[in-house]
Amino acid sequence: MAINKKASAGPVKDSASECVAQPASADPSKAVLKTSRRDFLRAGGMLSMSSLMGAGALMAQSDDTKATVEWAEHFQKNYRLMTQKEKNEARLRLEKRYSAEYGKQVSVDTADAQPGVLMGYALNIRKCIGCRRCVHACVEENNQSRGKQRAGEKIEWIQVLRMERGEFSADKMNHGYPDGLGIQVGGNAYTPAGQILEGQYHYEPEAVPEKDATYMPIACMQCEKPPCVKVCPVRTTYREADGPVVIDYNWCIGCRMCMGACPYWARRLNVTNPVLPKEEMNPVTHYLGNRPRMRGVVEKCHWCLQRTRQGRYPACVEVCPVGARKFGNLLDPESEVSLILARKNVFRLKAELNTFPKFFYFYD
Amino acid sequence: MLTSFVSDYMRYVLKGGTKFYAWMGSLAVLIVGMMYVFYLQNTDGLIVTGMTSQIHDGLYFANLVFLVGVAAGAVTIVFPAYVYHHEGMHKVTVLGEMLAIAAVCMVMMFVFAHMGRPDRLWHMLPIIGIFNFPHSMLAWDVLVLNGYLILNFICGFYYLWVKYTGGKINNRFFMPLVYVSIVWALSIHTVTAFLIATMPARPMWFHSMMPIRFIVTAFAAGPALIILAFIVIRKNTKMWVDDSAIDLLATIVTWCLGLAIFLTMSEIVVELYARTEHANGLYYLMFGLHGLTNLVPWFWSSVILMVGSFLLLIFPTIRRNYKLLPILCFTTFAGIWIEKGMGLIVPGFIPSPIGEVSQYYPSFVEVIMTIGIWACGFFILTILLKGAIGILLGDIKYSGAKAVVTK
């Protein structure tokens, strides 16, 4: 499996072939396990053995290393203010700690934004079938907490809102609003149609798409004027030069102002120590992206920085079975996203709030 | 001289009867409970509370907001005393300042309880951390709250110090500080209102009436607590608080409570007449939404407490009846605590910005923590008030000959 191979191969950058490789699958139970086992065997005993031994060695001294590493971590600066040297130190500290903790070679990328890139996202709401594979792929790729015992242990960044297809019916046309005095001033002919901002969105259908529903996936909109960034008292969350709004998990104080300010409910709080089984942990990480988080900090979608800064698509884009999700460079007029903006009818969610999302919805 | 002040003060405060020790002892037990749940929260995480990613501010934030109001309420003593030269108030101003100090301490403790990572709070300190000052409302709030704490500390203890040494107050130093602290009291609650009123993502809070509503509720709840404290002081110490001071405070409570009710009513009319989706939070609070009705009994009990207290307090004869007044002060205080605490903070998150309706159940841990912090606040308040009363009564006095010589 691409991710495992990459981890043991070392540097992340020079493996262009992996863009074609299978991404984290949407159906974790089957697809992933099969491919990863095959891949594991193919990768050859030598490499795997050596990495296992390395991991073992790391685990043996884990207690001591972990303690000292975490101590230094407590006193590091805000990521954005670190010098390159400090970034490297922080990166090595984290790689050491994560490798020991998860028993495998973990890489923490610190790749910066590339000039001339402004990431953008477009989603075809007509195509979305509500399968929620993007949700699961996102969880796997981005090392979200996935415990099942307590409610707060499960974190999903993408929400697929299920909306009922309403209809108008003739037999209710004469049920007025309000009744009384014999004068009907409004109608009750409708049943809910389109998005009403009420209700529960956790649906588990047997098959999708459902006949009487439409779907609207949402996640962080990576706003150009992000309200969450403005309210952060310690500037731990900010917009990167290439677009995504990121969080330095080590600097976050857990005050949750950003969660209150976000109009899209994109942010989640790690209410407890994240539940991330060793074997499920994705070892290819980015400092501002999917590296494992800690208790008490806020996290959210960052458009898979660990992938997109290396020229790959976000996991949700790769996994979408109907091709509803498009991702690309807004500054490149030939990119898929730019072409969509130029040719399709697009809209942004809650545009009236002037947050200027870089996440667009469109339909053919 | 300073060391003798501290030691005299401490010695006086530590001396007390059985009643005093029983009071402080039971508070201490509650404080120990608070420490234990604080430990739980910082090992297992906020999962031990009822807060979730949907409703991520709960009892702690609600109490924080309310107590900022109590702290600001101290100005209802300072203002008449120094601006209108109210005789009765002037004698007890320092007690109000002590209350403000205790309330701000409680606010700070609730901040610690609220944080996901209290160990990283130093990230907010300027120079060694990052203080996102003009942008973040929370940064403003930290600034005004700490400023208010310092101002009250200086004003209160300078006054006590002068009384202790038997000198004269240097008005050129003291009065400007008093005037600044009066304006500052308004600022702390205004900024706290801005904290939640500047988020269009939360339509329940997103209106410009918020600051004035915060201030009037503060000026009802704050003096209500002060009246209770004054009556306890009159009963249990040699200190006598003039009737005129209590009467004036009762009048302030009455009319600020009336204004608070008026503003709540205005909000209800404006929101529910149009009944847009933005009114869902208020609707949830008043009647429940999608069958979820946790806060409905709280809201209506708060309405009954506030309106009932107001209707009785209007009558001067009831207001001046010191048997009834404490009860009405308590009901006012409780009513506003509900309205501004749970009743304002929690429905702001229901439904969530994407329309999810969920409920908030404060956990046992949260309740213990909240009670513990209140106990700690009363612990501090008792110490501060006892010391201050000792000095005002002249029980604590500088005995060295130097004091007479220096001034």
Side-chain angles (χ1 to χ4, degrees):
Chain A
M1 158 99 242
I3 287 162
N4 292 347
K5 196 164 70 187
K6 219 171 176 186
S8 42
V12 192
K13 268 202 169 149
D14 43 347
S15 43
S17 63
E18 272 151 25
C19 298
V20 216
Q22 185 77 25
S25 166
D27 195 343
S29 52
K30 294 148 204 158
V32 171
L33 279 178
K34 257 184 210 157
T35 30
S36 78
R37 200 172 296 129
R38 202 190 322 134
D39 223 79
F40 182 76
L41 292 171
R42 207 190 317 145
M46 284 297 283
L47 203 61
S48 324
M49 278 307 284
S50 66
S51 65
L52 274 176
M53 279 162 69
L58 277 167
M59 268 150 73
Q61 48 155 342
S62 69
D63 267 9
D64 253 6
T65 339
K66 210 179 146 195
T68 47
V69 162
E70 283 188 339
W71 187 246
E73 237 180 88
H74 275 302
F75 296 100
Q76 69 186 39
K77 279 197 261 179
N78 180 309
Y79 181 74
R80 199 164 35 163
L81 299 182
M82 286 184 195
T83 60
Q84 198 52 50
K85 189 167 158 274
E86 285 168 328
K87 276 183 189 172
N88 285 336
E89 281 167 12
R91 166 204 184 129
L92 288 174
R93 268 201 300 269
L94 287 173
E95 283 180 346
K96 213 163 145 195
R97 175 160 73 83
Y98 291 147
S99 298
E101 225 172 298
Y102 295 99
K104 52 182 147 188
Q105 193 63 46
V106 178
S107 65
V108 179
D109 191 4
T110 52
D112 285 326
Q114 282 169 20
V117 176
L118 184 64
M119 298 182 192
Y121 206 119
L123 193 148
N124 189 337
I125 40 171
R126 180 161 289 170
K127 277 192 174 161
C128 177
I129 54 167
C131 64
R132 285 169 76 192
R133 285 190 191 154
C134 47
V135 180
H136 305 305
C138 173
V139 170
E140 277 174 47
E141 168 69 25
N142 289 304
N143 290 327
Q144 273 107 313
S145 176
R146 57 202 70 173
K148 291 189 180 80
Q149 308 211 316
R150 296 184 285 181
E153 286 174 350
K154 193 175 152 203
I155 291 179
E156 288 170 351
W157 291 345
I158 303 175
Q159 297 283 309
V160 183
L161 309 186
R162 177 189 185 276
M163 284 167 290
E164 274 175 38
R165 270 184 221 280
E167 54 178 22
F168 288 84
S169 63
D171 31 306
K172 287 200 281 182
M173 273 170 71
N174 291 327
H175 295 287
Y177 154 83
D179 265 329
L181 292 182
I183 303 171
Q184 183 185 340
V185 293
N188 272 330
Y190 67 97
T191 49
Q195 187 174 11
I196 50 155
L197 277 179
E198 282 182 18
Q200 310 279 344
Y201 292 109
H202 294 291
Y203 62 99
E204 287 292 344
E206 279 174 21
V208 285
E210 295 159 283
K211 212 174 132 201
D212 49 356
T214 57
Y215 305 96
M216 176 130 176
I218 60 165
C220 177
M221 301 283 157
Q222 319 291 359
C223 308
E224 278 296 273
K225 290 200 165 54
C228 52
V229 166
K230 198 170 187 177
V231 299
C232 178
V234 291
R235 292 201 177 172
T236 193
T237 183
Y238 56 94
R239 172 187 171 277
E240 279 277 281
D242 53 356
V245 174
V246 295
I247 302 168
D248 178 357
Y249 310 114
N250 271 69
W251 192 256
C252 175
I253 59 172
C255 72
R256 317 199 271 292
M257 288 298 289
C258 55
M259 299 178 76
C262 175
Y264 308 102
W265 196 60
R267 290 172 170 258
R268 306 287 183 276
L269 175 69
N270 279 291
V271 285
T272 186
N273 302 298
V275 181
L276 178 58
K278 282 180 187 176
E279 60 278 10
E280 290 177 26
M281 189 257 177
N282 174 6
V284 181
T285 71
H286 191 284
Y287 187 98
L288 297 169
N290 63 336
R291 69 184 171 100
R293 274 78 64 185
M294 56 292 271
R295 158 181 55 79
V297 303
V298 172
E299 61 177 61
K300 67 169 193 65
C301 164
H302 44 78
W303 281 348
C304 289
L305 271 190
Q306 69 282 0
R307 286 165 154 256
T308 49
R309 289 241 171 114
Q310 309 298 341
R312 302 178 64 198
Y313 280 130
C316 51
V317 172
E318 277 188 357
V319 83
C320 182
V322 292
R325 291 171 170 271
K326 304 290 177 194
F327 181 82
N329 184 359
L330 290 169
L331 300 182
D332 172 8
E334 289 307 307
S335 74
E336 225 174 347
V337 166
S338 298
L339 291 175
I340 288 166
L341 290 188
R343 294 175 189 170
K344 305 280 186 186
N345 294 332
V346 300
F347 68 92
R348 313 198 239 206
L349 206 57
K350 300 197 186 182
E352 76 275 18
L353 298 181
N354 275 6
T355 51
F356 301 104
K358 292 190 290 295
F359 191 109
F360 300 90
Y361 293 91
F362 72 101
Y363 41 93
D364 316 293
Chain B
M1 213 147 105
L2 193 66
T3 45
S4 74
F5 176 77
V6 174
S7 75
D8 282 355
Y9 189 93
M10 293 306 278
R11 242 179 294 154
Y12 181 82
V13 168
L14 288 176
K15 249 187 302 178
T18 337
K19 212 166 149 189
F20 174 73
Y21 280 110
W23 166 244
M24 296 302 258
S26 41
L27 290 180
V29 171
L30 295 174
I31 293 169
V32 171
M34 170 192 84
M35 283 166 173
Y36 175 66
V37 292
F38 188 74
Y39 164 78
L40 280 186
Q41 259 187 221
N42 285 287
T43 45
D44 203 9
L46 290 172
I47 200 163
V48 295
T49 69
M51 289 183 274
T52 60
S53 277
Q54 281 90 353
I55 302 171
H56 46 77
D57 297 346
L59 212 49
Y60 302 153
F61 196 75
N63 276 287
L64 185 157
V65 165
F66 176 77
L67 282 164
V68 173
V70 172
V75 83
T76 54
I77 301 185
V78 180
F79 190 78
Y82 287 104
V83 177
Y84 287 104
H85 305 289
H86 189 284
E87 191 61 29
M89 286 288 201
H90 200 276
K91 279 190 243 168
V92 291
T93 320
V94 74
L95 302 185
E97 281 157 351
M98 296 296 129
L99 177 85
I101 293 172
V104 177
C105 288
M106 278 191 259
V107 169
M108 306 259 175
M109 282 185 276
F110 273 114
V111 169
F112 267 86
H114 177 77
M115 292 280 143
R117 300 296 302 209
D119 55 322
R120 295 185 186 165
L121 218 55
W122 65 272
H123 290 179
M124 270 193 91
L125 298 178
I127 301 162
I128 60 164
I130 297 174
F131 191 58
N132 187 9
F133 175 55
H135 297 286
S136 167
M137 268 305 157
L138 197 62
W140 279 86
D141 212 31
V142 167
L143 191 79
V144 291
L145 278 172
N146 282 298
Y148 192 63
L149 181 64
I150 293 167
L151 272 174
N152 273 290
F153 193 83
I154 294 175
C155 287
F157 278 93
Y158 173 72
Y159 185 85
L160 290 177
W161 167 257
V162 170
K163 285 267 165 199
Y164 172 76
T165 54
K168 248 185 86 186
I169 284 171
N170 179 357
N171 275 335
R172 280 171 66 192
F173 161 76
F174 186 63
M175 287 318 288
L177 278 183
V178 168
Y179 291 131
V180 169
S181 84
I182 289 170
V183 181
W184 207 284
L186 294 175
S187 86
I188 63 167
H189 221 31
T190 308
V191 172
T192 307
F194 286 158
L195 200 62
I196 63 170
T198 49
M199 295 175 176
R202 311 282 171 183
M204 166 123 184
W205 301 332
F206 186 56
H207 51 78
S208 48
M209 197 186 76
M210 212 58 126
I212 188 64
R213 197 170 151 201
F214 266 46
I215 285 171
V216 293
T217 46
F219 288 0
L225 183 65
I226 295 170
I227 292 174
L228 288 174
F230 280 178
I231 288 174
V232 171
I233 287 169
R234 270 169 41 146
K235 276 225 174 93
N236 292 293
T237 68
K238 283 175 280 172
M239 177 93 186
W240 186 252
V241 182
D242 285 354
D243 283 1
S244 69
I246 294 180
D247 288 343
L248 181 59
L249 283 177
T251 315
I252 294 172
V253 170
T254 310
W255 297 116
C256 284
L257 183 59
L259 283 173
I261 293 167
F262 176 77
L263 292 177
T264 304
M265 202 184 68
S266 308
E267 189 191 356
I268 291 172
V269 172
V270 170
E271 292 291 324
L272 292 195
Y273 185 83
R275 185 63 183 94
T276 63
E277 277 185 14
H278 289 180
N280 277 357
L282 185 68
Y283 199 84
Y284 167 77
L285 175 65
M286 294 176 71
F287 310 109
L289 210 57
H290 290 270
L292 304 181
T293 54
N294 257 2
L295 284 179
V296 175
W298 288 93
F299 174 80
W300 292 105
S301 56
S302 142
V303 167
I304 291 166
L305 287 170
M306 285 170 69
V307 174
S309 315
F310 177 64
L311 290 179
L312 291 171
L313 280 170
I314 299 181
F315 301 103
T317 42
I318 295 179
R319 228 159 47 213
R320 288 189 200 122
N321 179 338
Y322 291 167
K323 286 224 163 52
L324 281 175
L325 185 64
I327 300 169
L328 291 175
C329 283
F330 180 78
T331 52
T332 303
F333 191 78
I336 290 173
W337 183 81
I338 296 169
E339 201 221 7
K340 205 166 162 188
M342 298 287 276
L344 181 70
I345 299 304
V346 176
F349 297 101
I350 305 168
S352 78
I354 62 164
E356 204 175 336
V357 183
S358 56
Q359 289 212 97
Y360 167 67
Y361 300 91
S363 69
F364 183 65
V365 164
E366 271 173 294
V367 174
I368 295 289
M369 177 78 93
T370 305
I371 293 174
I373 293 175
W374 275 91
C376 197
F378 278 111
F379 195 92
I380 296 170
L381 183 66
T382 312
I383 292 175
L384 290 174
L385 286 183
K386 194 166 183 230
I389 289 167
I391 290 172
L392 289 183
L393 288 175
D395 285 354
I396 317 177
K397 233 187 174 107
Y398 186 57
S399 46
K402 245 204 224 150
V404 192
V405 180
T406 41
K407 194 127 205 189

